[in-house]
Amino acid sequence: MQTWDHRQPIYQQLADVLAAQLLDGDPSEGQAMPSVRALAGRYLLNPLTVSRALQALGDEGLLESRRGLGLYVTAGARERLRALERDRFLQTEWPRLRDRLRRLGIGAEQLDWEESA
């Protein structure tokens, strides 16, 4: 079950969760997103909160509305999202992470870039 952080709006947290799924290819480009009702049930959220999260993804050009059919993942959405997330990481997260690594005395040679088994 998803836990929500009170420091950030829930719709934004859900948009981030859905964006991570899009990065993983779920659903793939051209495929339909689950309905608002399905997502509200899955994440135990108000449908208005879900709609707002989907709108945020639509505003970023990742989803398109097909009249009478629902929301679909746009062509190129994964690459566009990857570029947005990469820029966001490099501008906001990486400087903080780099500073923390420096404070802890952790160098590049100590970091394992491969996932542990």
Side-chain angles (χ1 to χ4, degrees):
M1 185 167 88
Q2 181 72 38
T3 56
W4 306 108
D5 185 341
H6 70 278
R7 294 173 287 186
Q8 186 180 26
I10 292 175
Y11 84 89
Q12 186 59 60
Q13 293 176 66
L14 178 60
D16 292 346
V17 167
L18 296 175
Q21 291 172 4
L22 289 175
L23 274 174
D24 292 339
D26 181 32
S28 59
E29 293 178 4
Q31 296 295 310
M33 286 294 291
S35 69
V36 169
R37 193 182 219 164
L39 290 170
R42 181 183 307 166
Y43 293 104
L44 304 175
L45 293 172
N46 183 305
L48 293 174
T49 301
V50 173
S51 292
R52 197 161 175 201
L54 292 170
Q55 181 63 48
L57 295 176
D59 291 347
E60 290 187 15
L62 304 174
L63 303 178
E64 64 182 358
S65 178
R66 295 187 186 168
R67 190 177 189 95
L69 298 174
L71 291 171
Y72 284 74
V73 180
T74 60
R78 191 172 183 197
E79 207 44 53
R80 190 168 31 262
L81 182 57
R82 183 175 283 130
L84 286 169
E85 290 296 313
R86 192 178 294 135
D87 288 345
R88 189 176 305 154
F89 174 79
L90 290 173
Q91 292 175 13
T92 61
E93 294 178 48
W94 175 243
R96 289 190 307 250
L97 181 57
R98 184 184 54 225
D99 291 344
R100 184 161 189 218
L101 290 169
R102 192 174 293 132
R103 279 192 303 276
L104 296 173
I106 298 173
E109 66 283 350
Q110 295 171 284
L111 298 173
D112 181 9
W113 295 106
E114 299 300 318
E115 197 172 322
S116 299

